[in-house]
Amino acid sequence: MRKAIIAGNWKMNKTPTEAAALVESLKPLVADASCDVVVCVPAVDIPAAKAAAQGSNIHIGAQNVHFAESGAYTGELSAAMLKEVGVEYVIIGHSERRQYFGETDATVNQRVLAAVKAGLKVILCVGEKKEEREAGYTDALVEYQTLIALTGLDKKQVQSIVIAYEPVWAIGTGLVATDEQANETIGVIRAALARKYGKAVANKVRIQYGGSMKPANAKGLMAQPEIDGGLIGGASLKAKDFAAIVNYDKD
Ligand code: PGA
């Protein structure tokens, strides 16, 4: 019913030359994918990655976007800038942005609104820290993060958002949520969407899992009914590993 979406988050890795090479080697490996394939690359890599992906099924994403249209925001990039260089997707609210760069639920919301207005497809990241899970706050927290981030969007716009549920304790740690844990929390997010926007809308929103997803665990996670894809960090930096995740439904 929902088309799966597998996205790579390269974080601060790969120069433009390396980015072009990685996209080139990915192309034949993911050509038969039945899911949407996205790579979210460092901003300076976008032109090289875009040129390399030309004519393929690989879509290019960015890793952040500013909420203002222009102005005195040293070091930031606007949605229009990303759009003009051919970016289709943008990650917003990644836990590393929240943790290291002071991103808050309010600024995440502003960025989501700016991206949607400019016609970018948003990959909105939410997820709990280890101590929050242990204290029993996971469900309340992911609901709160999700609904605040979407404030101001209409139902149609909400349907177009991709949500990445990424438990912070599973990112880059090798610890992965169990298939059931990931499915359950994604179900909580979907139920929150259903209460706020109605079941029909909630059933259309694609929700990915992210956090130490790799070829060995992709099949199990993707078999879960609520999980519609993955946001892949470390394993997206190797063409073979990323392709194996993209091809999770093939032998
Ligand atoms: P990881 O990162 O796959 O390296 O855990 C995922 C992410 O941060 O999006």
Side-chain angles (χ1 to χ4, degrees):
M1 180 179 59
R2 295 180 293 266
K3 189 177 185 191
I5 174 167
I6 304 283
N9 172 13
W10 291 5
K11 310 192 179 184
M12 196 176 72
N13 293 289
K14 307 289 175 188
T15 66
T17 310
E18 292 167 345
L22 179 48
V23 170
E24 284 296 349
S25 45
L26 262 179
K27 278 201 287 192
L29 303 179
V30 302
D32 297 327
S34 51
C35 60
D36 286 333
V37 182
V38 184
V39 289
C40 298
V41 306
V44 292
D45 293 356
I46 291 165
K50 187 81 194 164
Q54 191 77 40
S56 79
N57 59 334
I58 300 174
H59 301 270
I60 304 300
Q63 298 174 8
N64 195 16
V65 63
H66 197 262
F67 41 81
E69 283 180 8
S70 63
Y73 299 101
T74 302
E76 294 289 319
L77 298 171
S78 74
M81 292 171 188
L82 295 177
K83 192 84 183 141
E84 189 171 320
V85 289
V87 166
E88 289 175 78
Y89 289 84
V90 60
I91 296 173
I92 296 179
H94 190 277
S95 65
E96 285 150 17
R97 300 293 320 170
R98 295 177 192 257
Q99 194 175 342
Y100 306 132
F101 302 100
E103 199 74 66
T104 64
D105 289 316
T107 56
V108 166
N109 173 236
Q110 286 181 277
R111 288 175 204 263
V112 168
L113 293 175
V116 168
K117 190 173 167 204
L120 292 169
K121 295 178 185 134
V122 170
I123 299 176
L124 164 69
C125 300
V126 300
E128 82 288 359
K129 299 195 185 93
K130 184 164 172 276
E131 59 272 22
E132 291 163 341
R133 176 164 283 269
E134 285 166 358
Y137 294 146
T138 299
D139 295 0
L141 194 103
V142 294
E143 170 164 358
Y144 176 87
Q145 286 179 332
T146 304
L147 295 184
I148 291 196
L150 301 179
T151 301
L153 297 181
D154 63 29
K155 285 186 180 184
K156 193 154 171 258
Q157 291 167 326
V158 168
Q159 282 175 28
S160 73
I161 303 287
V162 176
I163 297 173
Y165 165 58
E166 300 204 301
V168 178
W169 47 271
I171 295 178
T173 57
L175 293 172
V176 64
T178 64
D179 299 347
E180 294 73 21
Q181 266 174 337
N183 190 64
E184 190 188 322
T185 306
I186 289 177
V188 166
I189 295 170
R190 200 178 302 287
L193 292 172
R195 280 194 297 279
K196 174 98 196 228
Y197 301 102
K199 236 186 163 131
V201 172
N203 284 338
K204 287 208 172 113
V205 175
R206 296 186 290 178
I207 311 182
Q208 302 171 310
Y209 168 77
S212 299
M213 197 160 161
K214 44 186 181 272
N217 57 32
K219 235 190 179 69
L221 287 160
M222 291 302 294
Q224 295 293 320
E226 294 289 357
I227 303 182
D228 305 319
L231 183 57
I232 325 295
S236 72
L237 297 172
K238 290 195 187 119
K240 256 181 91 176
D241 285 358
F242 187 61
I245 299 172
V246 164
N247 295 317
Y248 69 90
D249 58 343
K250 304 187 170 53
D251 293 328

